[in-house]
Amino acid sequence: MLKIDNLHASVEDKAILRGINLEVKAGEVHAIMGPNGSGKSTLASVIAGKEEYEVQDGEIILEGENIDELAAEERAHKGIFLSFQYPVEIPGVSVTNFMKTAINETRKARGLEDMPAKDMLKMIREKSELLEIDRKFLSRSLNEGFSGGEKKRNEIFQMAMLEPKLAILDETDSGLDIDALRIVANGVNKLKSKDNAVVVITHYQRLLDYIVPDYVHVLYNGRIVKSGTKELAKELEEKGYDWIKEEVNA
Amino acid sequence: MKPKITKLETFQEMELKDKLASSFLAFENQIDIDSYVHDIRSEAFKTFEDKGFPSKKEEAWKYTSLNSILKEDYSVFPKQENALTYPDVKKYFIHEIDSYKIVFIDGKYSSHLSQTTHEGIDVCLMSSALNKPKYRLIIENYFNKAATNDSLPSLNTAFSNEGAYIHIPKNKLVEKPIQIIHFSTGSEAAQLLQPRNLIVVDENSHVQIIERHQSLTDNPVLTNSVTEIFGRKRAIVDYYKIQNDNLNASLIDNTFIDQKQNSHISVHTFSFGGKLTRNNLNFYQNGERIDSTLKGITIIGDKQHVDHSTLVHHIEPNCESHQDYKGIFGDKATGVFNGKVVVEKEAQRTNAFQANNNILLNDKATINTKPQLEIFADDVKCSHGCTIGQLDESAMFYLRSRGIPEKEAKALLMYAFANNVLESVKIPEIKQRINKIIANKLGVNIGFDL
Ligand SMILES: Nc1ncnc2c1ncn2[C@@H]1O[C@H](COP(=O)(O)OP(=O)(O)O)[C@@H](O)[C@H]1O
Ligand SMILES: [Mg+2]
């Protein structure tokens, strides 16, 4: 599904990603862990097409196609979804209107008609129930005044609405209490299938108890320095990152 | 004695002034010189001749130059009468609602397109109000009583003859909004229009008015309009100006509003079109517990220019004013917001709010925003704030990452930035129309309705 080959990216001449290699196949769940500032969010943003970052070298291949030249919206149309670490507050645009616009623009790009209003409402109802989101929420301005947890839940609601092929969840668990974590993880698991894939960026094992990864990678200083199975996440939880840093620096 | 200011006039300005002088003579010959307004007109023309067209040397016109529009060879009176059929121009009306209509084609009243009334209220023509004895009292009490003698209002006064005349006697809730629309057909190579409106709303009455100027061809049009609105005790007036004219049409709108105690008057100005638009919007609060609302959305591009020059004169205690103007400027568009608030010494416990927020879409667009507060009372709450910014890049990426293309994402953000101005619009069909105009203007096909 996704193949990243020797990816180098920088911002304002500062190198952040320094040769990332990663392959994610359909049906898989990958976890990316690593110390703060190591480049996890940058990797997520570069995959999603944030123009601020300059890709100097390497390739991002989605289902056999190099997506390097594609705009963020075109990547979304191809099925990439990023759950933001810090969702942006947009006063004046309601959650519902935003979702309608996003879905219909995506459909348009895929050569489909607008979704009939009735179907849209039904889908909004179903997905908001799945994530236990209060209906009142949906007429509020996007993320404006939402608590940290509400923002994250809203991200996964959007994911549920857009049904992406590749979802990247950037610290979706931070700011969630244990109940919200369960709801969000349950939502993600419901959307999982053999045809899509999930990349989970997290610091904590507790999310991985719910969304069980097939592979765990450690990103440090712009490179994936270690990969393993879910056991690696447990080890990191116990021992922290220092031993990895030592290994790398040795 | 002040020295007389001599100013340099361009050749075109002199030519236009000469033409106006001879037109004024011809105009005076045709009309009744015994009319009450005759002296007012003559006086006004003298004032205009003395003052001439405003120039950038004057503080109030520092950022708006009329040079580019005064160079046209305008006809002052159209040579022929022109007709339009309703289907041709329906789209310029808020046709989804039942309304009174006062419609002009090239400055001449179109009875065919209009729907006036004398049943309980007068919704009719300035020309009849100026000539018929039964309106004489209102004309004597109100005509030219709120307008200032600045040069362009004076020029309008000199030629004042036609426009809308609206008188709502006391205790009337006028259910149907009134639409005032001016069409220009382009039958003249260039046309000067000077509509003159008088609106008197007596005690406890309520009326809603929609005004629009629409040129139907690319021939240059310059409209120098004066509207005087008088709101008596507890009157409520909601006025909507929809400015979406084509790129060869310019508008100088001079609106003067005189409010008495407990009256509430709001003016919403939606400026999307036109070559040059200057909105001189003046509120005078002559009573206590008055509420004045001035709101606007400006979205322009190309080389368009929109100037909002507002004045709220707080004269008596316990009054409020609310100003909220949003502007979005693309291409080489230029904007001006000059908001003056005067609070007289007697006007204690005034609440005056003013906000002007702007987005510049590129570095060629400009906005000059200048609040001017002159506060002589000590117990007042006044706030003002102006901002100039760009579209938020992180918000753009957020929207685009959800599949909303760049153009649509920009449009959504611009709309979101401006739309709180629409919250106080009381006629849903106007909101819908504004939404549609904005979508067209931004070249997108998305529903903004929340
Ligand atoms: N837009 C930016 N401008 C400047 N520096 C940035 C920008 N984005 C990220 N960085 C820097 O890149 C490094 C990696 O950041 P980030 O990807 O957010 O790390 P992580 O998500 O792993 O904590 C940090 O040093 C951060 O300060
Ligand atoms: Mg991060």
Side-chain angles (χ1 to χ4, degrees), chain A residues 11-12 14 16 35-42 52-53 85:
Chain A
V11 65
E12 291 158 3
K14 177 179 161 194
I16 301 176
N36 287 331
S38 55
K40 303 182 297 295
S41 293
T42 302
E52 205 180 331
Y53 297 104
Q85 182 176 3

Side-chain angles (χ1 to χ4, degrees), chain B residues 369-401:
Chain B
T369 172
K370 186 174 84 174
Q372 264 178 284
L373 306 183
E374 296 178 9
I375 299 172
F376 303 103
D378 46 30
D379 183 12
V380 298
K381 270 195 212 131
C382 288
S383 72
H384 68 91
C386 39
T387 61
I388 302 172
Q390 281 94 38
L391 283 184
D392 179 358
E393 283 300 323
S394 59
M396 279 298 290
F397 176 58
Y398 189 66
L399 296 177
R400 294 176 73 183
S401 78

